[in-house]
């Protein structure tokens, strides 16, 4: 009997963008994809134990998921992600993750750590196709099977992006369920909040302390960067005098600018991780544009010590302030006097 190879995928970092691609590819190759469970206390504790204290929270969480899968799978898929768009870089931590895992976690299964590098001329589809083609070679010698799996995987990923752009919140788009939130450009009587942050922060219910669910319970519609098309984000980010070469930072800036400039939202929340270098600059730029446009903005910075009660209090205060502001819109203070919570 042929043993089916188990390929582990940590439910962390860019899982939130590329799981449909990875899942379809390895499944079509005949592997069993094993996804780690949703983040929980045990996974976070394991991640904290396995990394150095100065590492950001999302990387700690990734280590916890990888440690969970070690011993349960034959291979662990940990791509070495350098550039997913030409002439830009993803955060340096992504490049080093395979090496950091090997150095810090015992009894790791073999890592499939093929490189994702769009280089100077590549594009977001091609770089993943090259990475997966190489990954496939470590699992099978059947080139046709690899190409067929790749075609199916790219199609699954494209379908996923379309669902996201229709306004579906990301976890629902991954599961293939749910209804879209009201699109950004339509008018709505509801309280409408733009939620900005890296996908592995805002969509991980444990890390974000169920931020999306809490906002919905407070009566808000939540719009996230993933509901925007890539060219909208590019267009807004291009308004900066100098091009940002951090892909995730550019996504945050572009979506923040679009949310704020659209004037269709009642407020914006920006969720960041303590210790994130690239975000330090982005936060400042977002705060400035929010102030110029008189848009309520709340920055939430999280790490493993963040308490849920404090987050709840701040969310309630922020949404109450926005409701008050909507009610007395004609009394909104002019530019420079808006309320900014930090
Ligand atoms: S971009 Fe920031 S939060 Fe994300 S992995 Fe890099 S340092 Fe961590």
């Amino acid at each position: 009997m042929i043993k089916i190879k188990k390929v582990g995928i940590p439910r962390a970092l860019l899982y939130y963008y590329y799981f449909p691609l990875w899942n379809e590819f390895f499944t079509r190759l005949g592997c069993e994809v094993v996804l780690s469970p949703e983040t929980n206390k045990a996974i976070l504790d394991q991640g904290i134990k396995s990394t150095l204290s100065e590492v950001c929270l999302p990387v700690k969480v990734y280590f916890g998921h990888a440690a969970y899968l070690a011993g349960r799978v034959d291979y662990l898929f940990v791509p070495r992600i350098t550039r997913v768009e030409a002439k830009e870089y993803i955060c340096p931590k992504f490049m080093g993750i395979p090496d950091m895992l090997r150095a810090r976690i015992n009894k790791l299964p073999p890592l499939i750590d093929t490189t994702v590098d769009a280089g100077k001329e590549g594009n977001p589809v091609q770089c993943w196709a090259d990475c997966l083609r190489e990954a496939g070679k470590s699992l099978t010698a059947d080139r046709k099977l690899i190409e067929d799996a790749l075609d199916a995987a790219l199609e699954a990923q494209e379908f996923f992006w379309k669902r996201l752009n229709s306004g579906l919140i990301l976890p629902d788009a991954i599961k293939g369920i749910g209804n879209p939130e009201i699109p950004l450009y339509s008018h709505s009587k509801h309280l409408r909040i733009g939620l900005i942050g890296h996908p592995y922060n805002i969509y991980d219910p444990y890390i974000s302390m169920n931020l999306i669910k809490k906002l919905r319970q407070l009566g808000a519609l939540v719009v996230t960067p993933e509901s925007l098309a890539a060219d909208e984000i590019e267009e807004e980010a291009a308004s900066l005098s100098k091009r940002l070469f951090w892909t995730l930072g550019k996504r945050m800036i572009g979506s923040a600018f679009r949310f704020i400039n659209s004037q269709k939202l009642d407020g914006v929340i920006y969720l960041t991780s303590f210790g994130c270098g690239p975000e330090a600059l982005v936060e400042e730029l977002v705060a400035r544009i929010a102030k110029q446009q008189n848009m309520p903005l709340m920055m939430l910075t999280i790490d493993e010590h963040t308490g849920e009660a404090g987050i709840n209090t701040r969310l309630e205060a922020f949404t109450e302030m926005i409701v008050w502001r909507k009610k007395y819109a004609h009394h909104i203070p002019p530019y420079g006097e808006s309320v900014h919570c930090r």
Side-chain angles (χ1 to χ4, degrees):
M1 199 174 107
I2 302 170
K3 185 176 175 282
I4 294 179
K5 292 166 186 156
K6 289 185 184 177
V7 176
I9 295 184
R11 192 190 290 254
L13 293 180
L14 293 192
Y15 147 84
Y16 290 95
Y17 277 168
Y18 296 109
F19 181 68
L21 177 79
W22 304 341
N23 183 40
E24 191 70 22
F25 180 71
F26 290 114
T27 305
R28 291 277 181 150
L29 284 188
C31 301
E32 180 187 341
V33 170
V34 182
L35 183 61
S36 53
E38 290 201 343
T39 309
N40 53 42
K41 188 173 181 316
I43 285 179
L44 177 59
D45 287 348
Q46 182 60 49
I48 293 169
K49 228 164 58 184
S50 321
T51 48
L52 302 172
S53 57
E54 58 265 34
V55 168
C56 64
L57 180 61
V59 169
K60 287 175 182 157
V61 170
Y62 190 91
F63 270 64
H65 283 272
Y68 173 92
L69 289 168
R72 291 179 161 93
V73 294
D74 302 310
Y75 298 90
L76 205 51
F77 181 55
V78 188
R80 188 184 298 279
I81 305 173
T82 308
R83 291 182 272 203
V84 292
E85 294 192 27
K87 298 184 189 145
E88 287 177 9
Y89 287 89
I90 205 98
C91 161
K93 300 220 170 71
F94 286 85
M95 303 175 207
I97 281 198
D99 305 319
M100 291 195 281
L101 281 180
R102 286 191 181 101
R104 305 288 304 187
I105 297 187
N106 293 328
K107 298 192 184 140
L108 270 184
L111 300 188
I112 302 176
D113 63 347
T114 45
T115 301
V116 183
D117 189 356
K120 289 186 180 157
E121 306 293 337
N123 66 52
V125 175
Q126 195 53 47
C127 63
W128 278 107
D130 293 344
C131 164
L132 291 179
R133 205 172 271 121
E134 278 309 301
K137 286 182 199 164
S138 58
L139 297 166
T140 173
D142 186 339
R143 299 294 165 98
K144 181 164 183 323
L145 182 63
I146 294 175
E147 290 306 320
D148 290 349
L150 198 49
D151 288 345
L154 293 172
E155 207 174 294
Q157 185 67 19
E158 201 184 323
F159 180 65
F160 165 70
W161 284 124
K162 276 191 188 142
R163 284 170 65 76
L164 278 182
N165 291 159
S166 75
L168 215 61
I169 287 291
L170 196 144
D172 292 345
I174 287 187
K175 290 179 203 148
I177 56 164
N179 296 314
E181 297 280 316
I182 295 175
L184 178 60
Y185 305 110
S186 65
H187 288 278
S188 162
K189 276 187 267 165
H190 293 83
L191 194 62
R192 200 189 317 220
I193 306 277
L195 176 59
I196 299 167
H198 294 170
Y200 37 86
N201 284 333
I202 63 178
Y203 300 116
D204 183 323
Y206 191 80
I207 290 201
S208 72
M209 295 170 215
N210 272 312
L211 193 50
I212 293 177
K213 193 169 164 198
K214 283 184 174 137
L215 284 167
R216 286 173 168 169
Q217 283 166 349
L218 289 167
L221 288 170
V222 182
V223 187
T224 59
E226 285 62 47
S227 65
L228 299 175
D231 51 357
E232 289 179 279
I233 292 176
E234 287 289 342
E235 195 185 301
E236 293 287 349
S239 65
L240 287 176
S241 54
K242 191 164 183 261
R243 190 171 180 268
L244 266 190
F245 52 83
W246 297 115
T247 299
L248 291 175
K250 183 191 71 181
R251 275 191 74 79
M252 297 306 105
I253 286 277
S255 40
F257 283 12
R258 178 57 55 117
F259 285 170
I260 294 166
N261 290 331
S262 75
Q263 292 293 334
K264 294 277 163 54
L265 297 175
D266 302 304
V268 172
I269 295 177
Y270 191 174
L271 184 70
T272 63
S273 314
F274 180 77
C276 172
E279 253 174 351
L281 166 75
V282 175
E283 276 177 38
E284 181 56 32
L285 292 170
V286 171
R288 281 187 201 179
I289 185 90
K291 195 168 181 183
Q292 277 169 16
Q293 300 287 355
N294 215 15
M295 171 68 76
L297 169 72
M298 180 164 75
M299 298 281 193
L300 287 176
T301 304
I302 45 166
D303 67 8
E304 60 271 35
H305 307 297
T306 304
E308 191 162 0
I311 294 282
N312 290 348
T313 308
R314 294 190 62 197
L315 281 182
E316 280 164 22
F318 187 66
T319 47
E320 270 174 32
M321 181 272 290
I322 292 174
V323 169
W324 175 88
R325 200 174 186 267
K326 264 171 96 89
K327 205 163 154 192
Y328 301 104
H330 47 292
H331 292 313
I332 290 175
Y335 160 59
E337 293 172 31
S338 60
V339 183
H340 287 261
C341 310
R342 270 182 179 269

